[in-house]
Amino acid sequence: MTEPRIPADPEADPGMDPALPPVAEAAVSSHTPRSARDWALRLSPILALAGLVILAFAMGWNKYLSMELLREHGLNLQAFAAEQFLLALIIFIAVYALATASTIPGPVFLTLLGGMMFGPLVGALAQATGATLGSIAIYMLYRSAIGTWLRAKFEADAGMMHKIATGIDRNAFVTLLTLRLIPSVPFVLINATAGMVAAPLRPYIVATFLGLLPSTYIYTWIGSGLGDLLQQGVQPDLNMLVSKFFWPLMGVAFLSILLPILIKGGQAWYKSRQKRMA
């Protein structure tokens, strides 16, 4: 018969074994029932975000993110940027960050507007800055709301999600950069997932900013060309956008379709090479 273990700390919680390692302790705490008030506090940021999105659609704010924005206000905003460059740049970054954080669809038209107002290079840098700031807000929202609880469950279960979370921690920059380079991967999904698994913040920020630049530059280059058309009195629509800028759009398609295939092929080649060298 084994002797009962005496807690090292006489004031320790009798329901918690102080000799348990942190992961095992997380396993015990993860199964502790949470009150409705606790859940309400944890989920309140996410519910607030959902309310903001519903309000935006109810008020019709999402309609402003369309080709109408470019046709009706593009030249005026372009002139404003020429007269008040720094102010216009700050406002644009703030609006893009808000649009990203609110997850309202249509930021691609804001990206085109950025190219129209500031040119391809500055427009791409401004868009990447605003989108990164907005993505940080979503990341922090999910991490503070339910991220800690989910991470504790991942560690306690030691299953597939724990492996994914560990992989992001170990190769956060490469993983997130790869996802950001592929435009077809939902932007908000990456933000939410990174927050829920508590990805390291610094690699998350750098990978987000750098990963957005290739496709963003293509869009801002198109936006700059649309500005030239507007100055010539042409009223562009989506059909003209596709026909006039077919090959730049094919660059976006390459990033969305062929890039994932090339990345997987490169990973398979690297693994086979490592096995041959072993």
Side-chain angles (χ1 to χ4, degrees), residues 41-42 45 137-149 195:
L41 290 174
R42 284 178 172 272
I138 297 296
Y139 167 92
M140 297 303 297
L141 184 151
Y142 276 88
R143 180 168 181 170
S144 61
I146 57 178
T148 304
W149 172 73

Side-chain angles (χ1 to χ4, degrees), residues 273-278:
R273 183 172 179 271
Q274 291 293 101
K275 290 181 179 179
R276 289 196 302 268
M277 294 177 61

Side-chain angles (χ1 to χ4, degrees), residues 51-85:
L52 176 62
V53 174
I54 293 173
L55 176 64
F57 278 96
M59 298 297 294
W61 297 339
N62 60 302
K63 296 179 181 178
Y64 290 100
L65 301 181
S66 64
M67 284 296 294
E68 293 296 325
L69 171 69
L70 304 179
R71 284 195 295 262
E72 296 181 7
H73 306 289
L75 291 179
N76 291 334
L77 291 172
Q78 191 179 53
F80 173 68
E83 296 175 2
Q84 301 287 339
F85 179 82

Side-chain angles (χ1 to χ4, degrees), residues 69-151:
L69 171 69
L70 304 179
R71 284 195 295 262
E72 296 181 7
H73 306 289
L75 291 179
N76 291 334
L77 291 172
Q78 191 179 53
F80 173 68
E83 296 175 2
Q84 301 287 339
F85 179 82
L86 185 59
L87 178 60
L89 188 64
I90 293 173
I91 293 175
F92 178 82
I93 292 174
V95 170
Y96 209 106
L98 181 61
T100 302
S102 64
T103 69
I104 298 174
V108 62
F109 295 104
L110 276 180
T111 306
L112 294 173
L113 179 62
M116 188 180 298
M117 293 175 64
F118 307 108
L121 180 58
V122 177
L125 293 173
Q127 185 273 353
T129 301
T132 300
L133 293 174
S135 67
I136 293 172
I138 297 296
Y139 167 92
M140 297 303 297
L141 184 151
Y142 276 88
R143 180 168 181 170
S144 61
I146 57 178
T148 304
W149 172 73
L150 279 177
R151 189 55 184 267

